[in-house]
Amino acid sequence: MKKMLRREFLESSSMAFAGTTALVAGFEPIVEAVTVRRRVSPNERINVALVGCGDMGKTNLRDFLRIPEVECPAIADVDEERLEEGLRIVQETRGNTPEGYRDFRRIMDREDIDAVIVATPDHWHALPTIYACQTGKDVYVEKPLATTIEEGRAMVAAARRYGRIVQVGTQQRSAGHFRDAVTFVRSGKLGRIRMVRAWTYLDWKGDIGNPPDGDPPPHVDYDLWLGPAQKRPFNPMRFHHNFRWFWDYSGGLMTDWGAHMVDVVMWALDEDPVGAMAIGGKYGFPDDIRETPDTQQSIVEYPSFTVLWEHMIGCGIGPWQREHGVEFHGENGILVVDRGGWEVHSETDRFRQPERVLRMTPTPRQAGSSDYHFTHVQNFIDCMASRQRPVADVEIGHRSAIACHLANIAVRLRRYFRWDGAGEQIIGDAEGQALVGRTYRPPWVLPKV
Ligand SMILES: NC(=O)c1ccc[n+]([C@@H]2O[C@H](COP(=O)([O-])OP(=O)(O)OC[C@H]3O[C@@H](n4cnc5c(N)ncnc54)[C@H](O)[C@@H]3O)[C@@H](O)[C@H]2O)c1
């Protein structure tokens, strides 16, 4: 198997980049021809392909394969070793070997694929998602939805234009305890919510060093890994997993965990940002190669409340003694939720009373749900059959990601700006507006959908 896979991998590698322009150009007619695909009924086999077989790709693959109707006939990765790991997972759980591809566009060419999991680094979310929609496939795409607001908007447009189901990998939306917490917030019992705090403090991440550039490993198609990102020499710390800390590929902890936590805020309060400001820097690890702040505070302004985001890499104790969480601060009480559970604390009142009194009955800690990543995957599969919008529909993922992107634009510019949500534009700040999109490295183009 290994030999055959290597041959396929190298053959497609030898097409290398020279062939890419033609492939991209040749893509459009196929796309237009296959916009309406059969709908998946509950009794049919569902062919799900995986694009990007790293840590999260493998987690997703394993959960998809827990659903008996799901088959995985194809996997793509630009790293042959990662690809083989994915093929092995399918072999071991199902006994068959999917086709392995270096170039994910070969998966888009296949008419037998019903859905695609996109678990590539963030700079590679938009194009596979849009191509999949254009070729009539549903998509489960990892969070954060994209590296820019412009990409996210194009992904929403593609899902809508081609009538595809697109679920974003913000699995909290499928967790019963997060739903209960959101229902509590929406009940109004906390009173008017004027401030929300969301945070991530990770003591299991730290100094990533500053290794020199070098040659990419021979089993990696580095040019295809870079894709639409700017060309630069290979560096082992700007690659697997650590891509998160570089602006070309991601947005640091602000988008990595912000996509999860700020999404809970959007879910509960359903408003769109109107402004953002942020401060942060490399205060913890000034000498490592990371570009994104290891320490950051962002304030995202909404019409009726503010969201204060905090993160620190290398420290594990955030507000309420938790490494991550969301605190909804109402006039009557405070709801705190994280992946482990939720509880409500009362606010106090000394304005009308001589003695400080509680304003509401506290709710003790409610336990967190388990296995909700799988529930999230199941929701996607159910929606493929029903054609209902999934719980973390692409538009939801886009709206949540916008707040994180705005905070990052603010931290890069070190200034406050206003945001026009309807027009998706930064008001009166050309430098900020330039960061709402980005320039793709030719021949890659963000399609106008
Ligand atoms: N939902 C969650 O809780 C959760 C958790 C972790 C990561 N994620 C998200 O999952 C995504 C992947 O993160 P990761 O930690 O698994 O990264 P990773 O670096 O471990 O894996 C990414 C994989 O994609 C491959 N890849 C890169 N370009 C490709 C291309 N053009 N075609 C095919 N494969 C390509 C890489 O070779 C690598 O194997 C990120 O967007 C991340 O934010 C989500």
Side-chain angles (χ1 to χ4, degrees):
M1 191 286 290
K2 178 153 176 147
K3 231 174 170 175
M4 279 184 60
L5 170 63
R6 182 171 290 276
R7 198 172 58 233
E8 187 279 332
F9 192 86
L10 293 178
E11 271 169 11
S12 50
S13 293
S14 67
M15 292 188 229
F17 221 67
T20 306
T21 314
L23 287 170
V24 171
F27 218 65
E28 307 261 347
I30 307 171
V31 160
E32 295 301 329
V34 203
T35 49
V36 183
R37 284 178 59 81
R38 70 192 165 91
R39 293 181 170 194
V40 178
S41 84
N43 302 325
E44 279 181 272
R45 312 303 295 164
I46 305 165
N47 283 334
V48 180
L50 171 64
V51 177
C53 195
D55 299 335
M56 201 57 205
K58 283 180 279 195
T59 300
N60 285 322
L61 180 60
R62 288 195 181 92
D63 270 352
F64 272 85
L65 290 174
R66 286 167 63 187
I67 299 169
E69 296 79 29
V70 169
E71 305 279 358
C72 177
I75 301 181
D77 200 298
V78 299
D79 180 336
E80 187 186 358
E81 289 185 354
R82 291 281 182 99
L83 178 57
E84 285 184 19
E85 287 172 25
L87 299 179
R88 214 171 303 124
I89 289 173
V90 181
Q91 274 172 342
E92 285 167 7
T93 46
R94 291 295 176 81
N96 63 297
T97 309
E99 289 291 331
Y101 301 99
R102 174 196 64 97
D103 189 330
F104 71 92
R105 289 169 296 182
R106 301 285 69 79
I107 286 177
M108 305 305 165
D109 291 340
R110 284 179 58 164
E111 289 198 31
D112 62 326
I113 304 293
D114 301 301
V116 178
I117 305 165
V118 177
T120 42
D122 309 355
H123 70 290
W124 259 125
H125 287 183
L127 289 182
T129 298
I130 293 169
Y131 294 164
C133 290
Q134 290 176 323
T135 53
K137 299 162 180 59
D138 295 328
V139 184
Y140 183 102
V141 57
E142 267 312 332
K143 50 48 61 178
L145 183 64
T147 41
T148 65
I149 295 170
E150 185 183 43
E151 285 179 328
R153 175 48 55 198
M155 294 161 87
V156 175
R160 298 295 182 259
R161 174 165 177 202
Y162 299 104
R164 306 322 307 171
I165 300 298
V166 180
Q167 171 93 301
V168 182
T170 42
Q171 61 267 22
Q172 290 72 218
R173 291 259 175 178
S174 292
H177 81 280
F178 273 102
R179 196 174 314 116
D180 292 345
V182 163
T183 304
F184 195 104
V185 173
R186 286 182 174 176
S187 73
K189 291 179 193 156
L190 295 174
R192 203 152 39 122
I193 291 165
R194 305 205 309 239
M195 193 195 85
V196 182
R197 191 176 285 150
W199 66 92
T200 299
Y201 284 62
L202 297 184
D203 58 0
W204 42 278
K205 295 194 191 291
D207 193 329
I208 59 169
N210 203 337
D213 293 340
D215 290 330
H219 51 85
V220 170
D221 184 337
Y222 175 57
D223 199 71
L224 195 51
W225 187 94
L226 283 173
Q230 296 311 303
K231 196 167 183 65
R232 71 167 320 283
F234 177 83
N235 188 290
M237 276 298 150
R238 293 178 61 109
F239 190 48
H240 290 332
H241 185 81
N242 288 306
F243 67 82
R244 307 166 149 64
W245 317 128
F246 298 90
W247 296 118
D248 277 355
Y249 322 123
S250 187
L253 215 47
M254 183 70 245
T255 52
D256 193 30
W257 271 80
H260 286 307
M261 296 295 109
V262 176
D263 182 55
V264 177
V265 182
M266 296 288 288
W267 187 9
L269 299 179
D270 199 27
E271 289 186 11
D272 290 304
V274 293
M277 60 198 286
I279 287 291
K282 281 166 57 70
Y283 309 134
F285 310 105
D287 301 324
D288 77 5
I289 193 176
R290 185 193 326 262
E291 291 173 350
T292 56
D294 56 40
T295 310
Q296 181 166 335
Q297 291 100 42
S298 315
I299 301 177
V300 182
E301 183 183 11
Y302 291 78
S304 69
F305 60 93
T306 56
V307 172
L308 169 61
W309 166 265
E310 306 175 17
H311 77 234
M312 287 179 84
I313 292 172
C315 295
I317 313 249
W320 300 92
Q321 298 285 311
R322 314 227 172 125
E323 69 151 39
H324 71 271
V326 183
E327 171 201 325
F328 293 92
H329 207 128
E331 290 172 339
N332 298 335
I334 304 157
L335 184 145
V336 187
V337 60
D338 60 56
R339 286 180 174 173
W342 64 280
E343 79 260 7
V344 178
H345 304 264
S346 177
E347 254 297 350
T348 55
D349 187 0
R350 262 196 308 185
F351 187 61
R352 291 176 210 86
Q353 330 274 341
E355 297 291 314
R356 176 172 265 167
V357 295
L358 296 185
R359 291 186 189 230
M360 67 182 293
T361 312
T363 303
R365 180 100 166 143
Q366 309 292 300
S369 337
S370 57
D371 210 19
Y372 53 87
H373 184 269
F374 174 70
T375 314
H376 203 55
V377 167
Q378 182 70 63
N379 172 257
F380 171 68
I381 296 294
D382 292 346
C383 291
M384 285 180 69
S386 70
R387 309 314 288 175
Q388 301 292 310
R389 296 253 166 100
V391 291
D393 173 61
V394 61
E395 177 110 41
I396 289 174
H398 176 54
R399 286 178 65 205
S400 297
I402 284 176
C404 306
H405 291 311
L406 293 180
N408 269 345
I409 293 171
V411 87
R412 295 175 82 174
L413 299 178
R414 300 184 91 76
R415 61 175 172 258
Y416 168 81
F417 52 76
R418 301 273 299 167
W419 171 248
D420 162 17
E424 294 198 348
Q425 288 199 340
I426 291 178
I427 300 167
D429 190 326
E431 212 183 340
Q433 183 58 28
L435 296 172
V436 168
R438 63 171 48 188
T439 306
Y440 273 24
R441 181 172 65 114
W444 302 101
V445 188
L446 182 66
K448 294 212 180 333
V449 185

